[in-house]
Amino acid sequence: MKALCVTPERQLQLRDIPRPETPMPGHVLVNMDACAINHGDKTFLKLPTAAGNAFSLGQHEVWGASGAGTVIAVGAGVPAHYVGKQVAIYRSLDRSPHSIGLWCETAQVPYTACLILPDHVHARDYCGALVNVITAYAFLEEIIEAGHRGVIVTAGNSATGHAIAALARQRKLPAIFLVRAEAELAVLRLAGAEHVIVTSEGFTAQLATLAEALGTTAIFDGVGGDLPGRIAPALPMNSSFYLYGFLAGAAPFSISSLLFMMKNLRMQRFSNFESDTVKKKDKLVAALKALEDVIDDPAFRTKIGKQFHYDQIELAMAYESQQGGKAILVA
């Protein structure tokens, strides 16, 4: 079968590899419908040691962590009802040396890397979804356990931002979403987000008032750059930054030690791989089961930009959409 594999030089190469026939215990075989190219697919290809090698390759060095397809066979120990079901996959949720990455025709992954989709949806619409949904779920679980009762999301109009918005709304958890433009504000408002702020000149005064009123002391930062430094003075006492993304690249930010001390600020990275939701198998199974009931919320669908075939991988990796759509790989 055709597969996109990683060379020793960290390039992607289209190869013919053996098609798996019988899944290993605890694993499923999935006929892949489509795979979204997420930010992490590009980043970790060039930085193989980042995030504890979150994209460990498994068999045949096949790349790809996010996708969707149909389960065609299950190994020993896998619930029988997975057979024939459409699933969204985030391979990194449960790493295995027997895994075959998703950028191929038939993948092999642990069943705990899969979320069963409702029969009435199209798998392709969720080919990049599970990474965002499980990140949002694990983050909210972590901050609630830490005693936070509200959240500020810096990349408010990102896929993960939309996932947090949907899950926070279901939990009745106050949430503020920061966006760069009025058009993004309109999109989030249409999706049901109540508190959205455009990061234009003078926005921090509005943020300070709203954050204090809502008690939003957990900051999910997917941007970086100078934004954390800009919003820090507007945060309530005992606020915590959870650094997750780096859309602003390597640009640094600064927060004075005096402000840290006066507001009792905290700062840490957030990794879904290090969360109890993902690390503890019973919690991961429970999370996937809980998300099955809400995954058809439009907020969780993958925003598809353009589709590419495997032999167009260079074009697919270079693709950027001004509207936030993702490049999608199809066999």
Side-chain angles (χ1 to χ4, degrees):
M1 67 173 179
K2 298 296 183 183
L4 285 163
C5 305
V6 181
T7 70
E9 297 75 32
R10 306 298 294 182
Q11 300 297 316
L12 292 170
Q13 183 181 75
L14 185 60
R15 298 175 184 166
D16 285 302
I17 65 170
R19 188 185 301 272
E21 300 294 338
T22 303
M24 296 294 293
H27 291 63
V28 295
L29 298 185
V30 182
N31 271 355
M32 299 304 300
D33 180 68
C35 296
I37 299 180
N38 291 325
H39 189 56
D41 291 296
K42 300 178 182 182
T43 300
F44 296 133
L45 182 65
K46 302 303 180 185
L47 300 172
T49 59
N53 196 18
F55 283 34
S56 52
L57 291 174
Q59 296 187 64
H60 307 297
E61 294 79 41
V62 180
W63 198 238
S66 295
T70 301
V71 176
I72 57 171
V74 300
V78 178
H81 68 271
Y82 274 76
V83 177
K85 291 294 187 180
Q86 297 183 115
V87 291
I89 311 169
Y90 181 31
R91 181 169 63 97
S92 304
L93 282 180
D94 195 349
R95 304 173 210 179
S96 163
H98 305 297
S99 288
I100 298 175
L102 306 189
W103 291 4
C104 67
E105 296 176 63
T106 302
Q108 176 169 255
V109 294
Y111 80 96
T112 43
C114 302
L115 184 149
I116 295 176
L117 296 168
D119 294 337
H120 65 269
V121 306
H122 298 291
R124 189 164 299 189
D125 289 335
Y126 295 86
C127 64
L130 188 50
V131 57
N132 304 307
V133 178
I134 200 69
T135 296
Y137 183 98
F139 173 71
L140 294 181
E141 289 285 298
E142 184 166 314
I143 65 170
I144 289 170
E145 179 67 23
H148 297 286
R149 293 295 176 264
V151 59
I152 298 169
V153 181
T154 60
N157 200 39
S158 65
T160 307
H162 278 263
I164 292 177
L167 293 178
R169 187 166 60 249
Q170 291 165 11
R171 295 170 182 248
K172 296 182 170 36
L173 188 76
I176 302 170
F177 300 89
L178 304 183
V179 297
R180 294 171 298 178
E182 292 290 338
E184 295 179 349
L185 180 148
V187 169
L188 270 169
R189 288 271 175 82
L190 189 62
E194 182 178 0
H195 305 294
V196 189
I197 298 175
V198 178
T199 55
S200 54
E201 185 176 351
F203 80 96
T204 53
Q206 181 186 1
L207 175 62
T209 301
L210 191 56
E212 187 65 36
L214 298 178
T216 50
T217 54
I219 300 87
F220 184 84
D221 180 37
V223 178
D226 67 348
L227 190 56
R230 293 168 66 194
I231 68 175
L235 300 178
M237 285 286 297
N238 304 313
S239 289
S240 296
F241 282 95
Y242 293 82
L243 306 181
Y244 175 73
F246 35 85
L247 294 175
F253 62 83
S254 63
I255 302 174
S256 74
S257 56
L258 177 61
L259 187 62
F260 255 96
M261 295 170 66
M262 288 177 59
K263 286 183 173 282
N264 193 29
L265 299 178
R266 293 177 175 83
M267 186 170 290
Q268 64 192 81
R269 81 168 186 162
F270 175 76
S271 166
N272 50 37
F273 307 124
E274 295 170 2
S275 69
D276 282 352
T277 296
V278 174
K279 286 196 305 183
K280 298 181 178 180
K281 187 168 183 176
D282 60 332
K283 287 184 177 291
L284 177 57
V285 171
L288 292 169
K289 184 62 179 174
L291 290 169
E292 284 179 18
D293 296 332
V294 299
I295 192 63
D296 59 353
D297 187 311
F300 298 138
R301 292 179 189 164
T302 302
K303 189 172 184 179
I304 297 175
K306 186 175 181 180
Q307 296 181 14
F308 297 87
H309 295 293
Y310 291 169
D311 59 0
Q312 299 173 303
I313 185 57
E314 291 186 5
L315 292 174
M317 292 292 274
Y319 175 79
E320 297 286 347
S321 167
Q322 295 298 319
Q323 292 73 41
K326 294 181 181 294
I328 305 299
L329 289 173
V330 296

